[in-house]
Amino acid sequence: MEGNKFEKTTLNTVRRRPDRGIYDKETIASIIKEAKVMHVAFVDTEGLPQCIPMLGVWDEDETGQCYLYFHGYPTTRIMNNLSDPGTPIVATATLVDGLVLALSAFSHSMNYRSAVVHGVVLPVSEEEKKAGFQKVVEGIAPGRWENSRQPDEGERQGTGILRIKVETASAKVRTGPPKDDKKDMENKELASKTWTGVIPLRTVPGVPEPTSYTTVPTPAHVSALATAPHGA
Amino acid sequence: MEGNKFEKTTLNTVRRRPDRGIYDKETIASIIKEAKVMHVAFVDTEGLPQCIPMLGVWDEDETGQCYLYFHGYPTTRIMNNLSDPGTPIVATATLVDGLVLALSAFSHSMNYRSAVVHGVVLPVSEEEKKAGFQKVVEGIAPGRWENSRQPDEGERQGTGILRIKVETASAKVRTGPPKDDKKDMENKELASKTWTGVIPLRTVPGVPEPTSYTTVPTPAHVSALATAPHGA
């Protein structure tokens, strides 16, 4: 880590299309925040790859060290597999921003933002678990920790928190129109029959749907969630 | 495989919340089609987990055997790591459908649809590679194969196709409102101050954005893409 950027290493360097590689913490954190779900991959006890979608939040301490927090049920396979501190994992968040249609089938692409984080499982004390639970809830739905019943002892025991020490990370972003070959663009016949451009995709929140037993009007923190950017 | 469902095995059985587990091919295929991007995880040559977002399509042959196809540049790390037939991979697609806000912090959840596919890398003949390239383009953007310039020899060589034999798969789906504890719902003070419900999330296509060199009006296959369901 150098200031707000991750150093490029063998693990995190974007090699294919290095112009799309981004290493600053702010971009990486914003992609993870918007995606909410990360795909957590690890090697299981049989040596097989596993990849599970989990709610993930990014955190940074006062020294600049970054962490990921995930929550899950303490008895699931992933929690069992990841109970050993030091186990390496990789967690990836991806937002799809559009389909990119080009003159040639080969140049078709997608606009996207993705973040890949490499880290290791940390031990979690009771205090850190409690703090981690709060970070996950607040990271996904800001305002809910104070605006809901806080966990009792049984619920705290019924929640597993994965705390990951981030070792390195990078983002990769593509934006804009197709990049067609010059020779295709100069081919008048091809250009005259082939529509090219972008189909933008955006994840939008709908109108909040209260439960039948909700008696309070929509509070500010819920309205904010219903307008915040949400990739998926 | 039994008819249109995958048999439950140690690898694919949904153990936490088994009521949310779905094993039929149609549900699994529909989630992958809507997500477009799958997270492909594998164990690299150092024994570390890797997880890369890739465009993925699902396919089934006349015997009922299912496949995943991914495309990538032939010289990337993932293509090098996955060039050996038999290498096990897991590919996961996830759609986020809503934030579920409950009375207790513990009962907060998410509405989602996810599909996890376990498979092995197959060898790819030149013929299968050509067919795979077409399947990826058509799977992501139906109609583009015929409506764009088809690959020349150099482009075919510049494209890597991963062909995965699906060994097992499952989906997991959560829908509906929060499931609050009875004791919380009977707690009038809590219910009177805590908004509960769902913030639905939906990925919507925007108006197609033609390039500056497009001279044809929006064709039917592009309009169809601009209205199809697209998770992200």
Side-chain angles (χ1 to χ4, degrees), chain A residues 15 77 180 196 211 213-214, chain B residues 15 77 180 196 211 213-214:
Chain A
R15 277 177 279 191
R77 247 182 309 183
D180 271 304
T196 51
T211 58
Y213 49 91
T214 283
Chain B
R15 277 179 278 193
R77 247 183 308 185
D180 271 303
T196 51
T211 57
Y213 49 91
T214 284

Side-chain angles (χ1 to χ4, degrees), chain A residues 20 30 32 48 50 95 112 135 139:
Chain A
R20 295 182 186 161
S30 76
I32 293 168
L48 288 174
Q50 298 292 346
L95 303 162
Y112 63 91
K135 282 180 206 290

Side-chain angles (χ1 to χ4, degrees), chain A residues 10-17 35-37 39-44 47-53 55 71 73 75-77 88-96 99 101-110 114 116 118 133 137 140-141 144-145 147-152 154-156 158-159 177-181 183-185 187 190-211 213-219 221-222 225-226 230-232, chain B residues 10-17 35-37 39-44 47-53 55 71 73 75-77 88-96 99 101-110 114 116 118 133 137 140-141 144-145 147-152 154-156 158-159 177-181 183-185 187 190-211 213-219 221-222 225-226 230-232:
Chain A
T10 3
L11 264 184
N12 74 332
T13 298
V14 173
R15 277 177 279 191
R16 173 71 208 168
R17 300 301 309 251
K36 294 172 192 70
V37 167
H39 286 81
V40 180
F42 60 97
V43 183
D44 75 9
L48 288 174
Q50 298 292 346
C51 179
I52 312 278
L55 295 181
H71 97 303
Y73 292 90
T75 56
T76 50
R77 247 182 309 183
I89 72 143
V90 56
T92 303
T94 305
L95 303 162
V96 175
L99 305 179
L101 310 183
L103 289 169
S104 65
F106 181 76
S107 295
H108 279 65
S109 187
M110 209 165 232
S114 68
V116 177
H118 295 269
F133 194 165
V137 172
I140 305 291
R144 288 310 289 182
W145 192 256
N147 285 287
S148 58
R149 180 178 64 66
Q150 293 182 18
D152 61 26
E155 290 172 339
R156 270 201 294 276
T159 304
K179 294 190 176 70
D180 271 304
D181 266 6
K183 75 167 173 6
D184 285 328
M185 292 169 72
N187 177 339
L190 179 63
S192 75
K193 68 180 188 190
T194 310
W195 189 94
T196 51
V198 174
I199 317 286
L201 297 174
R202 202 160 56 96
T203 300
V204 291
V207 176
E209 298 169 352
T211 58
Y213 49 91
T214 283
T215 56
V216 281
T218 318
H221 75 278
V222 173
L225 274 175
H230 297 280
Chain B
T10 5
L11 265 183
N12 74 333
T13 298
V14 174
R15 277 179 278 193
R16 172 72 208 168
R17 300 300 309 253
K36 294 172 193 70
V37 166
H39 286 81
V40 179
F42 59 96
V43 183
D44 75 9
L48 288 174
Q50 298 292 344
C51 180
I52 312 278
L55 295 182
H71 97 302
Y73 291 90
T75 55
T76 50
R77 247 183 308 185
I89 72 142
V90 56
T92 303
T94 305
L95 303 163
V96 175
L99 304 179
L101 310 183
L103 288 170
S104 65
F106 182 76
S107 295
H108 279 64
S109 188
M110 209 166 232
S114 67
V116 177
H118 295 270
F133 193 166
V137 172
I140 305 290
R144 287 312 287 183
W145 191 257
N147 284 287
S148 58
R149 181 178 62 68
Q150 293 181 18
D152 60 26
E155 290 171 340
R156 270 200 295 276
T159 304
K179 294 189 175 70
D180 271 303
D181 265 7
K183 74 166 177 0
D184 286 329
M185 292 170 72
N187 177 338
L190 180 63
S192 75
K193 68 177 188 193
T194 310
W195 190 94
T196 51
V198 174
I199 317 285
L201 297 174
R202 201 160 55 96
T203 301
V204 292
V207 176
E209 298 167 353
T211 57
Y213 49 91
T214 284
T215 55
V216 279
T218 317
H221 76 277
V222 173
L225 274 175
H230 298 279

